[in-house]
Amino acid sequence: LSLNDSDKLTRGETALILYNALFTPVVQANYSSNSSILYVDSTQTVMTQYLNIHYAEGRVTANSYTSITGQKDSKETEIEVEFVKYTVKEQVYDELLGYHVNVFYREDKSKRRELLHIMANEENKEVTIDAGDILSVADDKVVYDDGVRIKTVKIPKDIYVTYNGDMCFDWTLSDLNISKGTLKILSNDGDNQADFVIVETYTNDLVVNVSETLDKIYLKNAKPIEYLN
């Protein structure tokens, strides 16, 4: 903030000052051999020293049902940021998989982390493309019409892809050329290069029978679908 002595603080400016103060290192006394005192910055901040609130940031690497490694070892009450687990008490944040986030958390005596707040930060840039706007998917590129002009997004071969919620490691470009649904293409590190593709697609089918005994839904002209109660 740049203020003069006579300027009045707004509520937003006051909140910003208090927020920044939470990250200020706590000064501690360092006694020398000649009994003089030297004050130095400690590794603790106001937030960690007095509130037991810690800060971290990074990619969400796992949610409650999948992870970027394909392993499904997280519980419904857990989320991973850079492969470190955080316990979630109230809200599930499955939609943040792949996003770069800021995290505030508490640690118990066993160093387990309890999530207090999580939010996607400004490094994330995303574009959501409706299936009907896709013009072509070829040569490692998705070409689409955004309603104003024709745009192109390059798709690296090592990009992460989720397909209807599950990680897809053997994906091909044809998997991105959907007829119904959306493609969400995410850059999560501020370089505007695609890092993550979230595919949500569906088909229209007619349900002809449901078997509660076999836990199956029978569709017209399609294979039965198993479901869990």
Side-chain angles (χ1 to χ4, degrees), residues 45-63:
T45 64
V46 171
M47 187 165 54
T48 57
Q49 178 86 4
Y50 299 106
L51 302 174
N52 185 27
I53 297 177
H54 302 263
Y55 172 81
E57 63 179 74
R59 300 168 303 159
V60 175
T61 50
N63 58 20

Side-chain angles (χ1 to χ4, degrees), residues 22 47-48 50-56 77-79 81 85-93 96 101-108 112-119:
L22 293 174
M47 187 165 54
T48 57
Y50 299 106
L51 302 174
N52 185 27
I53 297 177
H54 302 263
Y55 172 81
T77 56
E78 291 179 334
I79 190 172
V81 178
K85 290 184 183 295
Y86 294 79
T87 300
V88 181
K89 281 194 172 182
E90 298 180 357
Q91 185 176 349
V92 179
Y93 298 93
L96 291 177
V101 295
N102 301 335
V103 175
F104 296 87
Y105 65 95
R106 282 201 173 104
E107 282 187 343
D108 62 17
R112 288 189 294 263
R113 298 184 177 190
E114 175 193 344
L115 184 69
L116 299 176
H117 183 66
I118 185 171
M119 57 186 178

